[in-house]
Amino acid sequence: ERLCIQVITDGATTCQSARKEFVKDRPWMTEAWCALHCISLFFKDCFNVDYYFKMYKKVHSVVKYAKSHGAIRSAYDEARKANIRGQIPTSPALALPADTRMAGKWSLLDRAVKSTHNLKAAFGNDEVRKWRDRQTAEEKAKFDKLWEHLCCPILWPGVEETIKYLRPAFVIMRLADSDGEAMSWMYGLSLRVVVHFKNHADRSNKKLAAPYETSVEVLRLWQKRWGHFTNPLHHLGYVLNPAFTVGNPTKDASVHSGCAVALGKFCLKDDNICDKQKAAKVMNQLMLFSKGNSPDMWVPGTESFDLRKIARKNIMNFLSDDFKELKEVASKVLEQPVSSAQCERVWSSLNWIQGRLRGRLLPQNSVGLLRVYYGNAQEEKMKRNSNFEDWARFMGEDYTIPEEWLGYED
């Protein structure tokens, strides 16, 4: 069990209690909240804020009505086909994300705003108008109310602003859900999100649809949830990421204390007593790494490499043998997950397999089918998330992210 260095669960009270009880007698382990669940709760909290709640309710009613009525849905599909024939970027298919989906409400707004032109075409279609005229007075009033929402000059600019405002948090959530090098990016990118939200709350020379109180509340909610999932391993991964700290060492006291705590856990002897000499040596190497000015730090011939373009899991291959203690620690830290969602998806996958029609499968057959189902899904996901260098784009102020990271599966 010494090979296990981190325990992650969601925020349920029973899970928290079990997690803390498990690590109590295992000082080499770090206990952590699932980052994916925390950020999902952030989105849930955001859409409980009055401004976003009312906005979402209007957009949801339009999408739900269009999806629930065959005449409108058919007209919408025809509009999408016309866009394809005219080589116009098509909008996504109508979808209502489940309540359990991570950031489902944000996703619905994002899809809806891309579908606005086709929704208007569907509601304004001649056949749909004839269908509307045949309905009861109550149904006509409901249709007209939704048409007002679609044509509202205030609603949709506000939706676009909301999507752009909350997108960085969504991107970090997707990062937490990836199988890549999330540990080295979470803390640094979360800091960037704080700056982004603070800039949004600063109303100087800006005309924004959201009230000032809403921006302040969103910033408070992010800081609250961010504080839940951040732990010493995140601090250590942050310092080990050259894109953040090499040549620009952090002065954040919480990061330094977090690194000290994490390194103390890695330098425990078999009797659970810290090897202070080794811990001090690794901490010294970490500080030299962050400064990036040690002449004996890099393997000869690699000094000219652009560190921002080197995958985090490979960065230790560029360190010389004089930093072998740091390389040993980094090899453990940078491979750590930040989310428990991957484990939980195994049970979701099993629910698709072990249903009523397959209730009499032998255990070994169920396990075999699960491996096929889950293995194929993981392979496809790894293909989508293979180019991790694209996360360097997130370092800019515009938070531009490749479209492939924001894709949806219908």
Side-chain angles (χ1 to χ4, degrees), residues 383-399:
K383 289 179 181 178
R384 293 198 303 270
N385 297 355
S386 59
N387 189 6
F388 213 83
E389 295 177 7
D390 286 333
W391 283 104
R393 302 189 189 183
F394 192 75
M395 304 298 292
E397 295 182 359
D398 59 350
Y399 294 94

Side-chain angles (χ1 to χ4, degrees), residues 9-49:
T9 68
D10 59 29
T13 305
T14 52
C15 291
Q16 291 187 63
S17 301
R19 187 180 70 222
K20 292 177 180 178
E21 185 67 24
F22 187 79
V23 302
K24 184 170 62 175
D25 300 325
R26 298 170 176 84
W28 64 88
M29 290 188 182
T30 300
E31 51 119 352
W33 283 48
C34 171
L36 189 62
H37 282 90
C38 284
I39 300 175
S40 180
L41 289 173
F42 161 76
F43 278 101
K44 182 179 179 180
D45 294 340
C46 283
F47 285 98
N48 286 331
V49 177

Side-chain angles (χ1 to χ4, degrees), residues 281-290 292-299 316 318-330:
K281 186 176 183 179
V282 177
M283 178 61 84
N284 182 55
Q285 292 178 359
L286 185 65
M287 293 300 102
L288 290 174
F289 175 81
S290 64
N293 57 4
S294 178
D296 58 345
M297 183 170 68
W298 305 108
V299 174
M316 294 303 118
F318 289 78
L319 288 178
S320 66
D321 291 337
D322 293 336
F323 286 74
K324 62 180 180 180
E325 291 83 1
L326 180 62
K327 292 170 69 173
E328 179 184 351
V329 170

Side-chain angles (χ1 to χ4, degrees), residues 86-106:
Q87 297 183 345
I88 301 173
T90 183
S91 59
L94 291 176
L96 292 172
D99 292 337
T100 56
R101 176 172 174 174
M102 303 296 183
K105 293 183 178 180
W106 184 92

Side-chain angles (χ1 to χ4, degrees), residues 112-400:
V113 80
K114 295 174 182 176
S115 310
T116 309
H117 57 291
N118 283 342
L119 283 170
K120 288 181 178 179
F123 274 78
N125 183 276
D126 292 339
E127 294 298 324
V128 172
R129 288 292 176 172
K130 293 177 182 178
W131 169 84
R132 177 253 181 206
D133 293 337
R134 296 193 297 269
Q135 305 306 307
T136 63
E138 182 180 356
E139 192 69 25
K140 289 179 182 178
K142 186 175 182 179
F143 182 95
D144 294 341
K145 184 68 175 178
L146 297 176
W147 177 249
E148 289 179 12
H149 291 339
L150 270 175
C151 299
C152 180
I154 299 175
L155 175 61
W156 296 102
V159 173
E160 291 182 3
E161 178 188 296
T162 300
I163 292 169
K164 183 178 179 180
Y165 179 40
L166 298 179
R167 185 180 295 276
F170 179 77
V171 169
I172 291 187
M173 191 186 74
R174 292 294 298 270
L175 170 62
D177 193 27
S178 72
D179 296 325
E181 309 140 14
M183 182 60 76
S184 63
W185 289 94
M186 288 300 293
Y187 187 84
L189 296 185
S190 297
L191 282 176
R192 296 297 178 106
V193 173
V194 171
V195 174
H196 170 72
F197 286 155
K198 284 183 176 179
N199 291 339
H200 197 277
D202 178 14
R203 296 310 180 94
S204 58
N205 300 322
K206 292 181 181 178
K207 294 182 179 179
L208 300 174
Y212 171 75
E213 295 77 11
T214 299
S215 301
V216 173
E217 180 64 11
V218 168
L219 174 61
R220 186 191 70 81
L221 292 172
W222 175 258
Q223 290 175 328
K224 171 187 173 183
R225 295 300 178 183
W226 178 39
H228 284 162
F229 69 78
T230 301
N231 64 60
L233 291 181
H234 288 196
H235 294 139
L236 189 53
Y238 169 67
V239 178
L240 287 170
N241 189 335
F244 291 121
T245 57
V246 170
N248 184 31
T250 179
K251 298 179 181 179
D252 190 336
S254 63
V255 172
H256 288 287
S257 61
C259 289
V261 171
L263 291 177
K265 292 179 178 292
F266 284 111
C267 297
L268 290 177
K269 301 178 183 177
D270 292 338
D271 55 1
N272 292 333
I273 297 176
C274 181
D275 186 343
K276 295 184 179 179
Q277 184 177 359
K278 181 180 179 181
K281 186 176 183 179
V282 177
M283 178 61 84
N284 182 55
Q285 292 178 359
L286 185 65
M287 293 300 102
L288 290 174
F289 175 81
S290 64
K291 292 178 182 178
N293 57 4
S294 178
D296 58 345
M297 183 170 68
W298 305 108
V299 174
T302 63
E303 301 90 342
S304 60
F305 277 73
D306 186 352
L307 296 179
R308 291 175 182 266
K309 295 183 178 181
I310 300 173
R312 303 287 80 76
K313 61 184 178 183
N314 297 329
I315 190 64
M316 294 303 118
N317 296 336
F318 289 78
L319 288 178
S320 66
D321 291 337
D322 293 336
F323 286 74
K324 62 180 180 180
E325 291 83 1
L326 180 62
K327 292 170 69 173
E328 179 184 351
V329 170
S331 64
K332 298 177 181 178
V333 173
L334 298 181
E335 294 295 332
Q336 288 299 305
V338 298
S339 166
S340 62
Q342 295 296 334
C343 299
E344 296 184 16
R345 285 200 178 94
V346 175
W347 301 110
S348 299
S349 301
L350 186 61
N351 288 337
W352 285 98
I353 296 168
Q354 197 75 30
R356 289 189 302 171
L357 297 178
R358 295 173 178 158
R360 296 187 179 183
L361 281 175
L362 294 175
Q364 58 267 31
N365 293 338
S366 297
V367 171
L369 285 173
L370 179 61
R371 285 176 177 169
V372 172
Y373 180 90
Y374 190 69
N376 289 340
Q378 288 299 99
E379 183 179 357
E380 291 299 319
K381 186 175 181 181
M382 289 176 68
K383 289 179 181 178
R384 293 198 303 270
N385 297 355
S386 59
N387 189 6
F388 213 83
E389 295 177 7
D390 286 333
W391 283 104
R393 302 189 189 183
F394 192 75
M395 304 298 292
E397 295 182 359
D398 59 350
Y399 294 94
T400 302

